Amino acid sequence: MKRARNFNAGPAALPLEVLQRAQNEWLNIEDSGMSVMELSHRSAEFEKIHNHAIQTLKELMEIPENYEVLLLQGGASLQFSMIPMNILKDGKRADYVLTGSWSEKALKEAKKVGETAVVASSKDDTYTYIPKVTDIEMNEDAAYLHITSNNTIYGTQWNEFPATGNVPLVADMSSDILSRKIDVSKFGIIYAGAQKNLGPSGITVVIIRKDLITDNDKIPSMLNYSIHSKNNSLYNTPPTLAIYLLSLVLDWAKEQGGVEKIAEINAEKAKAIYDIIDNSNGFYKGHALYESRSHMNVTFTLPTEEAEKQFLKEVKEAGFVGLNGHRSIGGCRASIYNAVPLSHCQELAAFMKKFQDAYMAKETQTH
């Protein structure tokens, strides 16, 4: 079977080596005589898998001892509610930086819980850039400052994170976690749906500073960080298959040379495609401003709607998957998460160049 060149935005590509290992262990995990999907989540075999995933993530991201790693359900979208429910106290305000649709959705849910404020935004310019950290009008007494580190729909990414002092910095890193080295100690909470860089859909990683985990009997148990922390994320039946695959992806990341090596490859992948855009004389136009470009989601348009339709038709016929832009803005998008091979990005870049040359030659003949 020939593997698709998968540029889907999420659920996204998984490393081939991970899928092959899962296939080999499919019927007999840890010599149990069972598939991982059949294991009790209270069994020693699954507990080993569960704890290995948590420990490997701590190692890869160099997570300090005063942080907890929780493996939860509900996607990053549930965190839009859980975060304010747990740490937005009465009399406090939560500050939000708007850089795209997901930060808008996070703000919408927080408003239902307590007082919020937008302290910086690039909405007026169709989210083509990340606001400068010096332009953030943060309240020094805020409950937290929320950002979305990478914006999948618009193709923008934070290159510098705001220094927030005593205010916890909360980041939705669903689409760029583990893609580059970060200083976890600068954040109060990092959360991420797994289905882009960490594994399959169905599991959400929450990295939270322990002092932000407080007992509050008024919060429903399934939405309470304290409950999940006390139970090692095993308060209820977890998505065991997703956690197992998360564990395998983290092992794969270590085998690649860790986060620093992965970041180097990601930079090469992004450069291959952006170089085609930048040298196309305007045939391909990137949505994001240069200084805010994402290394995870390359968004671009073509000169006309007709050219775009033709490009998307031909690129699909050539074996590339998932190049359509998000339905809300259209255009094209190449999502080049950790598991997308460099060779696939180079092949896409070559296709883009070939398509431009053929299209322009045809246009010249027509006129």
Side-chain angles (χ1 to χ4, degrees), residues 39-107:
L39 291 178
S40 165
H41 65 292
R42 305 294 182 193
S43 67
E45 293 90 348
F46 181 74
E47 187 176 16
K48 180 180 177 182
I49 294 167
H50 181 89
N51 290 335
H52 178 72
I54 292 172
Q55 189 55 44
T56 309
L57 184 66
K58 286 181 176 179
E59 183 181 334
L60 280 165
M61 293 185 66
E62 298 177 359
I63 299 173
E65 287 297 315
N66 61 323
Y67 284 75
E68 189 99 16
V69 174
L70 305 177
L71 304 180
L72 306 179
Q73 298 175 63
S77 295
L78 185 57
Q79 295 306 308
F80 299 165
S81 302
M82 282 185 72
I83 287 163
M85 289 177 77
N86 280 267
I87 67 172
L88 178 51
K89 309 301 183 185
D90 290 341
K92 289 279 191 175
R93 187 185 90 181
D95 289 348
Y96 281 72
V97 179
L98 297 188
T99 52
S101 300
W102 299 112
S103 53
E104 286 183 4
K105 290 180 178 181
L107 173 64

Side-chain angles (χ1 to χ4, degrees), residues 297-315:
N297 308 93
V298 181
T299 54
F300 58 95
T301 56
L302 279 76
T304 64
E305 190 175 330
E306 177 198 355
E308 250 169 44
K309 286 180 179 178
Q310 187 65 25
F311 173 81
L312 290 169
K313 176 177 178 292
E314 291 188 19
V315 80

